[in-house]
Amino acid sequence: MIGSVLARAAVASLLWVAIVEADGGVLSYGMVAVPLAVAVSYVLAGRPARGRAGRWKRGLASVRLGGWLLGRSVLGGIDVARRAVRPSGARVDPYWTTYRTSLPTEGARIALVFLMNLIPGSLSASRDGDLIEVHVIGTDLDVEAALTALESRIARAARTPSTAADPS
């Protein structure tokens, strides 16, 4: 267990240094960010499995989840810029919707609520059990499909069963 914590802390530390570009002014914030990242990794992936195969599968699923979220975040930034520069080209027609998650564990549901804010055009507002209130920036976005894909990826990373469609 200690080895797992140290390994995750080392990876999180390296990522933090890369993210802040080793800027001494904000590098110290890593004292909070790194332990938080390690804690979140345990919420998402749980304790390490006894067998190496399960650990590698969860690790790969977590890396895929991170890459998918990074891609969605970039697309979201581009979409917001497009809506700001060409307001007539993309509609801003905000609305509220309720998304029902099929993730069975509290940790996986919390991860979904936090990570869905990185999906272009969506913002989680509240959660009551398996129901999540979501604010969507425009009717032209298929937020339901994006949230279903995110939910399935979280389920794979956490090795939690989900009835959400598998996005491959």
Side-chain angles (χ1 to χ4, degrees):
M1 176 74 175
I2 292 174
S4 171
V5 171
L6 292 176
R8 291 178 192 209
V11 169
S13 296
L14 288 173
L15 287 172
W16 180 254
V17 169
I19 288 169
V20 301
E21 298 176 348
D23 180 5
V26 293
L27 202 56
S28 61
Y29 291 115
M31 299 293 282
V32 173
V34 168
L36 184 62
V38 171
V40 167
S41 77
Y42 277 100
V43 168
L44 287 175
R47 292 179 53 155
R50 292 264 184 212
R52 290 182 185 253
R55 189 178 319 161
W56 282 107
K57 283 182 181 179
R58 276 198 323 261
L60 182 58
S62 296
V63 168
R64 284 179 151 164
L65 172 63
W68 187 80
L69 283 169
L70 180 63
R72 296 293 166 212
S73 296
V74 169
L75 290 175
I78 292 169
D79 182 58
V80 168
R82 181 176 57 100
R83 290 173 194 272
V85 173
R86 290 188 357 207
S88 62
R91 292 185 43 151
V92 176
D93 188 14
Y95 68 96
W96 290 94
T97 188
T98 302
Y99 181 77
R100 181 179 300 273
T101 180
S102 62
L103 293 168
T105 66
E106 185 69 11
R109 288 178 180 180
I110 290 170
L112 176 64
V113 168
F114 282 125
L115 295 176
M116 75 171 33
N117 294 312
L118 300 175
I119 300 294
S122 68
L123 177 68
S124 63
S126 67
R127 182 178 73 91
D128 184 17
D130 63 346
L131 297 176
I132 304 168
E133 290 294 317
V134 183
H135 183 265
V136 183
I137 195 169
T139 56
D140 59 329
L141 299 172
D142 189 1
V143 172
E144 179 84 20
L147 294 178
T148 300
L150 174 60
E151 181 176 4
S152 181
R153 290 172 185 275
I154 289 172
R156 280 199 310 268
R159 294 191 73 192
T160 303
S162 170
T163 58
D166 192 359
S168 299

